[in-house]
Amino acid sequence: MSKQTRNNSSTPATVKKTAIGKSRAAKSPAKKPAAKPAAITPAKTTTATPAGGSSRKPAAESSRRAPSATIKPPRAKAAATKAPARAVAKPTTKPMTKPAAAAESPAPRGKSILAEGDQAPGFELRRDGGGTVSLQSLAGRKLVIFFYPRASTPGCTKEAIDFTRLAQDFAAAGIGVLGLSADSQKAQDSFRDKYQLTTPLLSDETHQVLEAYGVWGEKSMYGKVFYGIVRTTVLIGADGRVAKIWRNVKVDGHADEVLAVAIALE
């Protein structure tokens, strides 16, 4: 075989190799760009296009987001409507408790608060056994008035018995003694007979004299507030003025103390 023949025979082989290489090279770059742009371009276009609004995909995306924007406002309104409901519920409970607490504490009814040195308020009241007793009828002498809450109760009974026990000592010193409560005359009669009391017991069912002497007022027992007589003793001098007042009296030894102070009073 001649040199020219070999050259001619080898030409097709190189041409085939070159053609195959170009075809592979052409195929391989075609696959890579086709795969990468397909994965990359959608992500970039979805984030960049909503601001411009020029492509079709952002329009579809904006239409998808539109429903979410319409759903949020109802939630905000629901939260806004609940807030006023709670705000209205709180004020309605507070005003109801204050009037209840205010109704339990009644207003004071005492017309005056007697003080030492004041002129003793005048009175004329019924007494046990019938008849009446007035301050005017006892003028010019010392007078003790013990105000007790209720006849035949333990404390009042002991106090009345103590003043009866010292009745002769008071009389010897020229001192008159009166007991006074809001009980009826019938209750005073029963109280006198049951315990053989000798001191006159006056009845003030209208509370006028009790209020004038400032002994009718608020009291409390077992958490309840009510009106009644506050146990008090008043010593009136011969001049008709209040010489001594004992308030919230403790019964034990009280009558003896009053006698000693009354005797020492000039």
Side-chain angles (χ1 to χ4, degrees), residues 92-175:
T92 53
T93 55
K94 288 183 180 178
M96 292 178 68
T97 55
K98 289 183 180 178
E104 291 178 359
S105 58
R109 288 179 56 188
K111 291 183 179 179
S112 64
I113 298 177
L114 200 64
E116 295 177 1
D118 291 348
Q119 189 71 33
F123 59 84
E124 185 175 357
L125 297 171
R126 291 183 301 168
R127 60 159 294 177
D128 63 296
T132 61
V133 175
S134 66
L135 181 64
Q136 184 64 31
S137 65
L138 299 171
R141 62 183 296 191
K142 301 174 188 178
L143 177 65
V144 172
I145 307 175
F146 65 95
F147 299 88
Y148 56 96
R150 189 174 180 182
S152 299
T153 55
C156 298
T157 300
K158 187 177 188 314
E159 185 178 19
I161 290 174
D162 286 346
F163 276 106
T164 295
R165 174 176 55 83
L166 298 172
Q168 292 182 355
D169 296 328
F170 279 104
I175 304 166

Side-chain angles (χ1 to χ4, degrees), residues 135 137-145 169-178 234-244 258-266:
L135 181 64
S137 65
L138 299 171
R141 62 183 296 191
K142 301 174 188 178
L143 177 65
V144 172
I145 307 175
D169 296 328
F170 279 104
I175 304 166
V177 179
L178 300 173
V234 177
L235 172 61
I236 302 172
D239 58 355
R241 294 189 175 275
V242 176
K244 178 72 175 177
V258 173
L259 176 62
V261 172
I263 292 174
L265 180 65
E266 295 180 357

Side-chain angles (χ1 to χ4, degrees), residues 208-230:
Q208 291 182 359
V209 177
L210 295 171
E211 291 180 0
Y213 277 79
V215 300
W216 181 265
E218 286 186 1
K219 301 177 69 175
S220 62
M221 182 178 291
Y222 306 113
K224 294 183 179 180
V225 179
F226 59 95
Y227 283 106
I229 297 174
V230 179

Side-chain angles (χ1 to χ4, degrees), residues 73-99:
R75 293 180 182 174
K77 287 180 182 177
T81 53
K82 289 180 181 177
R86 293 179 183 174
V88 172
K90 289 181 181 177
T92 53
T93 55
K94 288 183 180 178
M96 292 178 68
T97 55
K98 289 183 180 178

Side-chain angles (χ1 to χ4, degrees), residues 7 12 49 55 62 67 84 134 198 200-201 218 223 254 264:
N7 290 336
T49 51
S55 61
S62 63
S134 66
T198 60
L201 304 177
E218 286 186 1
H254 175 63

